[in-house]
Amino acid sequence: ITPHKVNYLLPVTYNPSPNNAPFEQSDEVHYPLDKVEAKFQISFKFPLAYNLFGDNGHLFFAYTNQSYWQVFNKDISSPFRETNHEPELFMLFNNDWQVGNFTNSFWGFGISHQSNGASNLRSRSWNRIYGTMVFDGGPIAIGTKVWWRLPEDEKDYIGDPRGDDNPDIGKYMGNFEINAVYGLEQHRFTMLLRNNLRKSNKGAIELTWSYPIIGNLRLYTQYFNGYGESLIDYNVHNQRLGIGVSINDLL
């Protein structure tokens, strides 16, 4: 078992405009969400098979959990506001294509399911087939990912447990993202860019900086601005700034 995406814990994050709407629509007693909450991500992968095509082609399973915790909100018993689950099955191929000063070291394709595990009006989920490439060039690495959403049936009525929970998610999440990491001595800077390439121009940017503390433990800061930080907020623009620690600095 090895890391897949970055594993981190941000004990303190600040969002100036929390999205209360999904919770106000539920039947539960509701109190305003705190602007300060914790956020963490656990992500790992493990190989299912190596060298399926001669000496190349490796099959992996991966799982990512991203959670938002209203840990300081004692009025509502400090609940987990949102948890996103994303299992994936994908193939990776080693490569050595040269593109300018960059080497296309990996390419692959896979299928993923992402869901927040909620029910009724707070349920969010989608399924995607995707392709990905990673380019290395000295202190810079760039990862590209494009996807196609698997279609789902429409709901017959509001609150229908079957059917598409979020039919317009593509308008906000688009069909691609670019990840970049830059190393400067022991500093690591990363950037995620996503856009729907439509006139509405909806997308997101995420910036991080990390620095080693001890061993694999790193001081980790994260800034997000845009749509789709989490599934419950996929169609809401928000900002978040957080600080904490990470245990790896992969793309």
Side-chain angles (χ1 to χ4, degrees):
I1 295 177
T2 58
H4 180 44
K5 300 179 182 179
V6 180
N7 289 269
Y8 61 79
L9 168 63
L10 305 176
V12 178
T13 72
Y14 177 74
N15 178 357
S17 302
N19 179 24
N20 285 278
F23 305 93
E24 292 171 343
Q25 296 168 357
S26 70
D27 295 330
E28 302 172 10
V29 176
H30 174 73
Y31 293 90
L33 297 172
D34 278 357
K35 295 179 180 180
V36 177
E37 65 181 356
K39 176 184 177 182
F40 64 84
Q41 180 168 279
I42 301 169
S43 184
F44 61 85
K45 68 179 182 294
F46 60 86
L48 299 177
Y50 284 117
N51 300 323
L52 292 176
F53 300 92
D55 61 351
N56 211 341
H58 318 304
L59 182 64
F60 289 86
F61 172 81
Y63 172 76
T64 301
N65 174 303
Q66 188 179 95
S67 293
Y68 300 79
W69 184 11
Q70 288 273 297
V71 61
F72 308 107
N73 197 340
K74 305 302 181 182
D75 290 337
I76 52 176
S77 192
S78 303
F80 279 83
R81 176 178 65 85
E82 172 79 344
T83 297
N84 292 168
H85 309 273
E86 186 175 15
E88 303 175 57
L89 188 67
F90 61 93
M91 291 281 299
L92 275 185
F93 295 84
N94 300 316
N95 201 16
D96 58 1
W97 294 342
Q98 291 295 130
V99 183
N101 294 325
F102 288 85
T103 300
N104 175 211
S105 53
F106 292 100
W107 68 273
F109 59 88
I111 184 169
S112 75
H113 167 77
Q114 190 177 30
S115 169
N116 67 351
S119 59
N120 300 323
L121 296 179
R122 294 215 301 264
S123 178
R124 305 284 187 273
S125 67
W126 62 332
N127 302 300
R128 293 176 288 173
I129 295 174
Y130 66 83
T132 183
M133 283 187 170
V134 175
F135 298 85
D136 296 318
I140 301 175
I142 299 174
T144 62
K145 184 177 182 180
V146 296
W147 59 80
W148 177 70
R149 185 191 179 190
L150 295 173
E152 298 181 53
D153 295 333
E154 294 183 6
K155 289 182 178 291
D156 292 331
Y157 55 89
I158 296 176
D160 186 354
R162 294 167 295 185
D164 196 343
D165 294 321
N166 30 251
D168 62 344
I169 194 169
K171 295 179 181 179
Y172 300 90
M173 299 292 286
N175 297 95
F176 80 98
E177 67 183 30
I178 297 173
N179 284 275
V181 58
Y182 175 69
L184 179 63
E185 296 179 349
Q186 297 189 74
H187 300 270
R188 296 291 182 273
F189 303 90
T190 75
M191 178 177 65
L192 176 148
L193 291 175
R194 189 169 58 232
N195 194 276
N196 61 8
L197 297 181
R198 304 182 186 186
K199 290 183 179 180
S200 57
N201 193 34
K202 299 190 186 312
I205 182 171
E206 183 181 273
L207 305 172
T208 77
W209 165 77
S210 70
Y211 190 82
I213 301 173
I214 182 172
N216 291 328
L217 192 67
R218 305 178 68 89
L219 176 65
Y220 188 73
T221 62
Q222 183 187 86
Y223 172 71
F224 180 91
N225 188 323
Y227 293 86
E229 183 185 19
S230 67
L231 284 179
I232 200 69
D233 296 330
Y234 80 90
N235 58 353
V236 174
H237 183 277
N238 71 286
Q239 297 186 68
R240 184 183 306 277
L241 179 64
I243 186 168
V245 294
S246 69
I247 59 172
N248 66 295
D249 58 355
L250 304 177
L251 284 174

mmCIF file of all heavy atoms in Angstrom, residues 210-247:
data_model
loop_
_atom_site.group_PDB
_atom_site.id
_atom_site.type_symbol
_atom_site.label_atom_id
_atom_site.label_comp_id
_atom_site.label_asym_id
_atom_site.label_seq_id
_atom_site.Cartn_x
_atom_site.Cartn_y
_atom_site.Cartn_z
ATOM 1 N N SER A 210 4.574 23.304 0.974
ATOM 2 C CA SER A 210 4.956 22.421 2.075
ATOM 3 C C SER A 210 6.455 22.484 2.294
ATOM 4 O O SER A 210 7.234 22.821 1.390
ATOM 5 C CB SER A 210 4.516 20.976 1.804
ATOM 6 O OG SER A 210 5.278 20.403 0.753
ATOM 7 N N TYR A 211 6.848 22.141 3.526
ATOM 8 C CA TYR A 211 8.258 22.179 3.911
ATOM 9 C C TYR A 211 8.475 21.092 4.962
ATOM 10 O O TYR A 211 7.639 20.929 5.867
ATOM 11 C CB TYR A 211 8.629 23.551 4.484
ATOM 12 C CG TYR A 211 10.107 23.740 4.689
ATOM 13 C CD1 TYR A 211 10.931 24.107 3.625
ATOM 14 C CD2 TYR A 211 10.693 23.544 5.944
ATOM 15 C CE1 TYR A 211 12.298 24.276 3.809
ATOM 16 C CE2 TYR A 211 12.058 23.709 6.134
ATOM 17 C CZ TYR A 211 12.860 24.076 5.055
ATOM 18 O OH TYR A 211 14.202 24.235 5.227
ATOM 19 N N PRO A 212 9.562 20.313 4.860
ATOM 20 C CA PRO A 212 9.757 19.196 5.787
ATOM 21 C C PRO A 212 9.946 19.642 7.230
ATOM 22 O O PRO A 212 10.603 20.643 7.519
ATOM 23 C CB PRO A 212 11.022 18.510 5.248
ATOM 24 C CG PRO A 212 11.726 19.553 4.457
ATOM 25 C CD PRO A 212 10.658 20.409 3.862
ATOM 26 N N ILE A 213 9.332 18.870 8.132
ATOM 27 C CA ILE A 213 9.496 19.086 9.571
ATOM 28 C C ILE A 213 10.425 18.020 10.133
ATOM 29 O O ILE A 213 11.461 18.301 10.719
ATOM 30 C CB ILE A 213 8.141 19.046 10.297
ATOM 31 C CG1 ILE A 213 7.199 20.122 9.751
ATOM 32 C CG2 ILE A 213 8.332 19.226 11.799
ATOM 33 C CD1 ILE A 213 5.792 20.035 10.302
ATOM 34 N N ILE A 214 10.020 16.740 9.927
ATOM 35 C CA ILE A 214 10.841 15.612 10.355
ATOM 36 C C ILE A 214 10.431 14.397 9.534
ATOM 37 O O ILE A 214 9.234 14.117 9.365
ATOM 38 C CB ILE A 214 10.692 15.333 11.871
ATOM 39 C CG1 ILE A 214 11.602 14.192 12.287
ATOM 40 C CG2 ILE A 214 9.252 15.050 12.240
ATOM 41 C CD1 ILE A 214 11.663 13.977 13.804
ATOM 42 N N GLY A 215 11.397 13.704 8.965
ATOM 43 C CA GLY A 215 11.097 12.548 8.142
ATOM 44 C C GLY A 215 10.194 12.919 6.979
ATOM 45 O O GLY A 215 10.456 13.876 6.242
ATOM 46 N N ASN A 216 9.091 12.160 6.817
ATOM 47 C CA ASN A 216 8.128 12.437 5.755
ATOM 48 C C ASN A 216 7.070 13.458 6.161
ATOM 49 O O ASN A 216 6.209 13.815 5.351
ATOM 50 C CB ASN A 216 7.416 11.149 5.331
ATOM 51 C CG ASN A 216 8.337 10.199 4.607
ATOM 52 O OD1 ASN A 216 9.254 10.629 3.905
ATOM 53 N ND2 ASN A 216 8.115 8.905 4.772
ATOM 54 N N LEU A 217 7.109 13.906 7.406
ATOM 55 C CA LEU A 217 6.121 14.874 7.888
ATOM 56 C C LEU A 217 6.499 16.274 7.412
ATOM 57 O O LEU A 217 7.629 16.727 7.607
ATOM 58 C CB LEU A 217 6.040 14.831 9.408
ATOM 59 C CG LEU A 217 4.863 15.573 10.052
ATOM 60 C CD1 LEU A 217 3.550 14.889 9.708
ATOM 61 C CD2 LEU A 217 5.047 15.638 11.565
ATOM 62 N N ARG A 218 5.535 16.971 6.809
ATOM 63 C CA ARG A 218 5.790 18.285 6.243
ATOM 64 C C ARG A 218 4.767 19.293 6.748
ATOM 65 O O ARG A 218 3.591 18.953 6.926
ATOM 66 C CB ARG A 218 5.722 18.246 4.705
ATOM 67 C CG ARG A 218 6.642 17.235 4.065
ATOM 68 C CD ARG A 218 6.500 17.214 2.563
ATOM 69 N NE ARG A 218 6.977 18.439 1.934
ATOM 70 C CZ ARG A 218 8.231 18.629 1.533
ATOM 71 N NH1 ARG A 218 9.131 17.678 1.706
ATOM 72 N NH2 ARG A 218 8.596 19.765 0.963
ATOM 73 N N LEU A 219 5.216 20.525 6.998
ATOM 74 C CA LEU A 219 4.297 21.633 7.203
ATOM 75 C C LEU A 219 3.556 21.851 5.884
ATOM 76 O O LEU A 219 4.180 21.856 4.820
ATOM 77 C CB LEU A 219 5.059 22.890 7.603
ATOM 78 C CG LEU A 219 4.228 24.177 7.768
ATOM 79 C CD1 LEU A 219 3.251 24.039 8.927
ATOM 80 C CD2 LEU A 219 5.161 25.365 7.993
ATOM 81 N N TYR A 220 2.227 22.018 5.947
ATOM 82 C CA TYR A 220 1.427 22.019 4.714
ATOM 83 C C TYR A 220 0.384 23.124 4.783
ATOM 84 O O TYR A 220 -0.378 23.219 5.754
ATOM 85 C CB TYR A 220 0.733 20.659 4.577
ATOM 86 C CG TYR A 220 0.010 20.422 3.272
ATOM 87 C CD1 TYR A 220 0.711 20.180 2.095
ATOM 88 C CD2 TYR A 220 -1.380 20.403 3.224
ATOM 89 C CE1 TYR A 220 0.047 19.928 0.901
ATOM 90 C CE2 TYR A 220 -2.058 20.154 2.039
ATOM 91 C CZ TYR A 220 -1.333 19.916 0.878
ATOM 92 O OH TYR A 220 -1.996 19.664 -0.298
ATOM 93 N N THR A 221 0.361 23.985 3.769
ATOM 94 C CA THR A 221 -0.656 25.028 3.676
ATOM 95 C C THR A 221 -1.398 24.867 2.357
ATOM 96 O O THR A 221 -0.819 24.446 1.340
ATOM 97 C CB THR A 221 -0.043 26.434 3.744
ATOM 98 O OG1 THR A 221 0.841 26.624 2.635
ATOM 99 C CG2 THR A 221 0.725 26.629 5.047
ATOM 100 N N GLN A 222 -2.673 25.226 2.364
ATOM 101 C CA GLN A 222 -3.518 25.016 1.186
ATOM 102 C C GLN A 222 -4.488 26.184 1.023
ATOM 103 O O GLN A 222 -5.088 26.635 2.000
ATOM 104 C CB GLN A 222 -4.298 23.710 1.340
ATOM 105 C CG GLN A 222 -5.165 23.324 0.160
ATOM 106 C CD GLN A 222 -6.023 22.098 0.469
ATOM 107 O OE1 GLN A 222 -7.105 22.223 1.028
ATOM 108 N NE2 GLN A 222 -5.521 20.919 0.132
ATOM 109 N N TYR A 223 -4.623 26.650 -0.212
ATOM 110 C CA TYR A 223 -5.593 27.690 -0.552
ATOM 111 C C TYR A 223 -6.422 27.208 -1.735
ATOM 112 O O TYR A 223 -5.881 26.784 -2.757
ATOM 113 C CB TYR A 223 -4.912 29.004 -0.900
ATOM 114 C CG TYR A 223 -5.876 30.050 -1.433
ATOM 115 C CD1 TYR A 223 -6.800 30.667 -0.590
ATOM 116 C CD2 TYR A 223 -5.872 30.400 -2.778
ATOM 117 C CE1 TYR A 223 -7.689 31.616 -1.083
ATOM 118 C CE2 TYR A 223 -6.753 31.342 -3.280
ATOM 119 C CZ TYR A 223 -7.674 31.943 -2.427
ATOM 120 O OH TYR A 223 -8.566 32.874 -2.918
ATOM 121 N N PHE A 224 -7.753 27.288 -1.597
ATOM 122 C CA PHE A 224 -8.668 26.880 -2.666
ATOM 123 C C PHE A 224 -9.596 28.036 -2.997
ATOM 124 O O PHE A 224 -10.087 28.730 -2.096
ATOM 125 C CB PHE A 224 -9.496 25.659 -2.233
ATOM 126 C CG PHE A 224 -10.471 25.196 -3.298
ATOM 127 C CD1 PHE A 224 -10.091 24.242 -4.222
ATOM 128 C CD2 PHE A 224 -11.757 25.728 -3.380
ATOM 129 C CE1 PHE A 224 -10.974 23.828 -5.221
ATOM 130 C CE2 PHE A 224 -12.639 25.318 -4.368
ATOM 131 C CZ PHE A 224 -12.239 24.366 -5.285
ATOM 132 N N ASN A 225 -9.855 28.224 -4.303
ATOM 133 C CA ASN A 225 -10.791 29.251 -4.760
ATOM 134 C C ASN A 225 -11.508 28.727 -5.992
ATOM 135 O O ASN A 225 -10.871 28.435 -7.011
ATOM 136 C CB ASN A 225 -10.039 30.546 -5.092
ATOM 137 C CG ASN A 225 -10.973 31.710 -5.379
ATOM 138 O OD1 ASN A 225 -12.026 31.549 -5.977
ATOM 139 N ND2 ASN A 225 -10.583 32.896 -4.954
ATOM 140 N N GLY A 226 -12.835 28.577 -5.903
ATOM 141 C CA GLY A 226 -13.585 28.138 -7.071
ATOM 142 C C GLY A 226 -14.721 27.207 -6.720
ATOM 143 O O GLY A 226 -15.267 27.238 -5.613
ATOM 144 N N TYR A 227 -15.075 26.369 -7.692
ATOM 145 C CA TYR A 227 -16.182 25.425 -7.567
ATOM 146 C C TYR A 227 -15.648 24.001 -7.388
ATOM 147 O O TYR A 227 -14.589 23.648 -7.891
ATOM 148 C CB TYR A 227 -17.057 25.467 -8.813
ATOM 149 C CG TYR A 227 -17.803 26.762 -9.012
ATOM 150 C CD1 TYR A 227 -17.202 27.845 -9.660
ATOM 151 C CD2 TYR A 227 -19.113 26.916 -8.553
ATOM 152 C CE1 TYR A 227 -17.881 29.039 -9.849
ATOM 153 C CE2 TYR A 227 -19.798 28.107 -8.737
ATOM 154 C CZ TYR A 227 -19.182 29.167 -9.381
ATOM 155 O OH TYR A 227 -19.859 30.346 -9.568
ATOM 156 N N GLY A 228 -16.422 23.188 -6.671
ATOM 157 C CA GLY A 228 -16.135 21.765 -6.611
ATOM 158 C C GLY A 228 -15.068 21.338 -5.642
ATOM 159 O O GLY A 228 -14.463 20.277 -5.829
ATOM 160 N N GLU A 229 -14.830 22.118 -4.588
ATOM 161 C CA GLU A 229 -13.877 21.642 -3.581
ATOM 162 C C GLU A 229 -14.375 20.332 -2.980
ATOM 163 O O GLU A 229 -13.608 19.405 -2.743
ATOM 164 C CB GLU A 229 -13.682 22.683 -2.480
ATOM 165 C CG GLU A 229 -12.646 22.253 -1.458
ATOM 166 C CD GLU A 229 -12.527 23.204 -0.290
ATOM 167 O OE1 GLU A 229 -13.462 24.001 -0.049
ATOM 168 O OE2 GLU A 229 -11.502 23.139 0.412
ATOM 169 N N SER A 230 -15.681 20.250 -2.726
ATOM 170 C CA SER A 230 -16.319 19.025 -2.260
ATOM 171 C C SER A 230 -17.593 18.817 -3.073
ATOM 172 O O SER A 230 -18.078 19.728 -3.752
ATOM 173 C CB SER A 230 -16.657 19.114 -0.770
ATOM 174 O OG SER A 230 -17.661 20.103 -0.551
ATOM 175 N N LEU A 231 -18.169 17.621 -2.996
ATOM 176 C CA LEU A 231 -19.366 17.335 -3.777
ATOM 177 C C LEU A 231 -20.566 18.157 -3.305
ATOM 178 O O LEU A 231 -21.375 18.607 -4.120
ATOM 179 C CB LEU A 231 -19.694 15.839 -3.715
ATOM 180 C CG LEU A 231 -18.814 14.934 -4.563
ATOM 181 C CD1 LEU A 231 -19.235 13.475 -4.401
ATOM 182 C CD2 LEU A 231 -18.863 15.332 -6.037
ATOM 183 N N ILE A 232 -20.705 18.373 -1.998
ATOM 184 C CA ILE A 232 -21.856 19.126 -1.507
ATOM 185 C C ILE A 232 -21.786 20.577 -1.975
ATOM 186 O O ILE A 232 -22.804 21.266 -2.089
ATOM 187 C CB ILE A 232 -21.955 19.053 0.039
ATOM 188 C CG1 ILE A 232 -23.361 19.398 0.521
ATOM 189 C CG2 ILE A 232 -20.916 19.935 0.697
ATOM 190 C CD1 ILE A 232 -24.415 18.389 0.169
ATOM 191 N N ASP A 233 -20.585 21.050 -2.306
ATOM 192 C CA ASP A 233 -20.382 22.431 -2.747
ATOM 193 C C ASP A 233 -20.011 22.511 -4.227
ATOM 194 O O ASP A 233 -19.424 23.506 -4.663
ATOM 195 C CB ASP A 233 -19.264 23.087 -1.927
ATOM 196 C CG ASP A 233 -19.605 23.224 -0.451
ATOM 197 O OD1 ASP A 233 -20.802 23.357 -0.144
ATOM 198 O OD2 ASP A 233 -18.683 23.177 0.372
ATOM 199 N N TYR A 234 -20.345 21.479 -5.014
ATOM 200 C CA TYR A 234 -19.865 21.454 -6.399
ATOM 201 C C TYR A 234 -20.354 22.645 -7.212
ATOM 202 O O TYR A 234 -19.669 23.123 -8.121
ATOM 203 C CB TYR A 234 -20.284 20.132 -7.090
ATOM 204 C CG TYR A 234 -21.715 20.102 -7.572
ATOM 205 C CD1 TYR A 234 -22.043 20.530 -8.860
ATOM 206 C CD2 TYR A 234 -22.742 19.645 -6.757
ATOM 207 C CE1 TYR A 234 -23.362 20.501 -9.305
ATOM 208 C CE2 TYR A 234 -24.041 19.613 -7.190
ATOM 209 C CZ TYR A 234 -24.353 20.041 -8.462
ATOM 210 O OH TYR A 234 -25.659 20.020 -8.901
ATOM 211 N N ASN A 235 -21.533 23.185 -6.887
ATOM 212 C CA ASN A 235 -22.108 24.292 -7.659
ATOM 213 C C ASN A 235 -22.083 25.613 -6.898
ATOM 214 O O ASN A 235 -22.816 26.533 -7.216
ATOM 215 C CB ASN A 235 -23.540 23.963 -8.073
ATOM 216 C CG ASN A 235 -24.444 23.662 -6.885
ATOM 217 O OD1 ASN A 235 -23.974 23.564 -5.749
ATOM 218 N ND2 ASN A 235 -25.730 23.506 -7.132
ATOM 219 N N VAL A 236 -21.231 25.693 -5.877
ATOM 220 C CA VAL A 236 -21.121 26.901 -5.053
ATOM 221 C C VAL A 236 -19.670 27.374 -5.057
ATOM 222 O O VAL A 236 -18.749 26.588 -4.810
ATOM 223 C CB VAL A 236 -21.578 26.625 -3.601
ATOM 224 C CG1 VAL A 236 -21.329 27.844 -2.724
ATOM 225 C CG2 VAL A 236 -23.047 26.234 -3.581
ATOM 226 N N HIS A 237 -19.473 28.657 -5.339
ATOM 227 C CA HIS A 237 -18.129 29.220 -5.314
ATOM 228 C C HIS A 237 -17.717 29.484 -3.871
ATOM 229 O O HIS A 237 -18.462 30.086 -3.106
ATOM 230 C CB HIS A 237 -18.083 30.532 -6.101
ATOM 231 C CG HIS A 237 -16.718 31.137 -6.185
ATOM 232 N ND1 HIS A 237 -16.184 31.913 -5.175
ATOM 233 C CD2 HIS A 237 -15.759 31.054 -7.141
ATOM 234 C CE1 HIS A 237 -14.974 32.294 -5.513
ATOM 235 N NE2 HIS A 237 -14.686 31.789 -6.710
ATOM 236 N N ASN A 238 -16.544 28.997 -3.498
ATOM 237 C CA ASN A 238 -16.075 29.248 -2.144
ATOM 238 C C ASN A 238 -14.557 29.384 -2.114
ATOM 239 O O ASN A 238 -13.858 29.012 -3.062
ATOM 240 C CB ASN A 238 -16.531 28.159 -1.165
ATOM 241 C CG ASN A 238 -15.824 26.843 -1.372
ATOM 242 O OD1 ASN A 238 -16.100 26.124 -2.328
ATOM 243 N ND2 ASN A 238 -14.903 26.495 -0.486
ATOM 244 N N GLN A 239 -14.067 29.941 -1.027
ATOM 245 C CA GLN A 239 -12.634 30.058 -0.777
ATOM 246 C C GLN A 239 -12.312 29.370 0.542
ATOM 247 O O GLN A 239 -13.142 29.335 1.439
ATOM 248 C CB GLN A 239 -12.210 31.528 -0.679
ATOM 249 C CG GLN A 239 -12.400 32.342 -1.935
ATOM 250 C CD GLN A 239 -11.826 33.733 -1.765
ATOM 251 O OE1 GLN A 239 -10.614 33.916 -1.665
ATOM 252 N NE2 GLN A 239 -12.705 34.719 -1.730
ATOM 253 N N ARG A 240 -11.082 28.844 0.623
ATOM 254 C CA ARG A 240 -10.650 28.218 1.873
ATOM 255 C C ARG A 240 -9.138 28.351 2.005
ATOM 256 O O ARG A 240 -8.404 28.144 1.039
ATOM 257 C CB ARG A 240 -11.035 26.740 1.920
ATOM 258 C CG ARG A 240 -10.683 26.059 3.264
ATOM 259 C CD ARG A 240 -11.015 24.575 3.231
ATOM 260 N NE ARG A 240 -12.389 24.376 2.852
ATOM 261 C CZ ARG A 240 -13.419 24.447 3.695
ATOM 262 N NH1 ARG A 240 -13.187 24.711 4.984
ATOM 263 N NH2 ARG A 240 -14.650 24.252 3.280
ATOM 264 N N LEU A 241 -8.705 28.682 3.201
ATOM 265 C CA LEU A 241 -7.282 28.730 3.525
ATOM 266 C C LEU A 241 -7.059 27.863 4.752
ATOM 267 O O LEU A 241 -7.783 27.993 5.748
ATOM 268 C CB LEU A 241 -6.842 30.170 3.816
ATOM 269 C CG LEU A 241 -5.374 30.374 4.193
ATOM 270 C CD1 LEU A 241 -4.465 29.979 3.035
ATOM 271 C CD2 LEU A 241 -5.125 31.819 4.609
ATOM 272 N N GLY A 242 -6.104 26.951 4.663
ATOM 273 C CA GLY A 242 -5.869 26.041 5.776
ATOM 274 C C GLY A 242 -4.393 25.789 6.007
ATOM 275 O O GLY A 242 -3.559 25.964 5.108
ATOM 276 N N ILE A 243 -4.072 25.353 7.225
ATOM 277 C CA ILE A 243 -2.694 25.041 7.581
ATOM 278 C C ILE A 243 -2.676 23.779 8.430
ATOM 279 O O ILE A 243 -3.579 23.538 9.237
ATOM 280 C CB ILE A 243 -2.018 26.217 8.329
ATOM 281 C CG1 ILE A 243 -0.536 25.918 8.568
ATOM 282 C CG2 ILE A 243 -2.733 26.527 9.645
ATOM 283 C CD1 ILE A 243 0.255 27.120 9.028
ATOM 284 N N GLY A 244 -1.654 22.954 8.197
ATOM 285 C CA GLY A 244 -1.544 21.714 8.954
ATOM 286 C C GLY A 244 -0.298 20.957 8.557
ATOM 287 O O GLY A 244 0.761 21.554 8.361
ATOM 288 N N VAL A 245 -0.421 19.632 8.406
ATOM 289 C CA VAL A 245 0.718 18.789 8.066
ATOM 290 C C VAL A 245 0.314 17.799 6.972
ATOM 291 O O VAL A 245 -0.865 17.463 6.826
ATOM 292 C CB VAL A 245 1.246 18.013 9.297
ATOM 293 C CG1 VAL A 245 1.832 18.966 10.327
ATOM 294 C CG2 VAL A 245 0.152 17.143 9.909
ATOM 295 N N SER A 246 1.306 17.357 6.203
ATOM 296 C CA SER A 246 1.101 16.303 5.219
ATOM 297 C C SER A 246 2.178 15.246 5.425
ATOM 298 O O SER A 246 3.231 15.520 6.039
ATOM 299 C CB SER A 246 1.166 16.856 3.793
ATOM 300 O OG SER A 246 2.481 17.263 3.469
ATOM 301 N N ILE A 247 1.949 14.047 4.899
ATOM 302 C CA ILE A 247 2.958 13.004 5.029
ATOM 303 C C ILE A 247 3.514 12.573 3.674
ATOM 304 O O ILE A 247 4.321 11.664 3.602
ATOM 305 C CB ILE A 247 2.417 11.773 5.783
ATOM 306 C CG1 ILE A 247 1.205 11.166 5.080
ATOM 307 C CG2 ILE A 247 2.088 12.126 7.214
ATOM 308 C CD1 ILE A 247 0.765 9.844 5.681
#
